[in-house]
Amino acid sequence: LFGFLALVLVILCVTCAEISIAQTYFQLTSEDYRWWWTAFFSSGSSGLYVFLYSVLYFNTRLRIENANSTILYFGYMAVISVLFMLLTGAIGSLSSFWFVRAIYGSIKVD
């Protein structure tokens, strides 16, 4: 079980890195050098997907009728979604930073 979860985590990290690097490359080729926040939010937007899926799951599968339980559920899901956004956004930002550093570090100026 934990091997499968580790594999899924590796696939998530690689996917976030690839998406951010591709987005940063397209942004740099169009001569827009403000890539920092777009690299973060291009992979960090998966946190929004997690929260929207939790709303869908709440409406279709859960049978919670108490207001306190509903507030508790959405509060915890908001915290989990923000943490997931920070995790995937950090992966995307760091991978884009290493990519930009690698491509601009290979330029020889005489």
Side-chain angles (χ1 to χ4, degrees):
L1 177 69
F2 291 112
F4 178 73
L5 290 177
L7 179 67
V8 169
L9 180 66
V10 168
I11 291 171
L12 173 73
C13 292
V14 169
T15 304
C16 288
E18 287 176 348
I19 288 171
S20 271
I21 288 172
Q23 193 273 334
T24 302
Y25 175 75
F26 291 135
Q27 191 170 359
L28 289 174
T29 55
S30 67
E31 297 181 3
D32 184 8
Y33 298 104
R34 297 170 299 185
W35 58 271
W36 290 90
W37 286 110
T38 54
F40 180 83
F41 285 118
S42 64
S43 60
S45 62
S46 58
L48 178 66
Y49 171 78
V50 169
F51 187 75
L52 292 177
Y53 186 77
S54 71
V55 171
L56 177 72
Y57 185 79
F58 180 80
N59 288 329
T60 58
R61 301 286 179 157
L62 295 180
R63 301 288 181 236
I64 297 176
E65 297 175 358
N66 191 0
N68 291 335
S69 299
T70 303
I71 291 170
L72 188 67
Y73 173 77
F74 283 115
Y76 275 119
M77 287 311 300
V79 169
I80 289 170
S81 299
V82 167
L83 289 176
F84 192 74
M85 181 194 72
L86 290 175
L87 172 75
T88 55
I91 292 169
S93 293
L94 289 174
S95 62
S96 291
F97 176 73
W98 290 329
F99 171 72
V100 169
R101 190 169 178 184
I103 63 171
Y104 284 118
S106 65
I107 297 174
K108 302 291 183 198
V109 178
D110 291 332

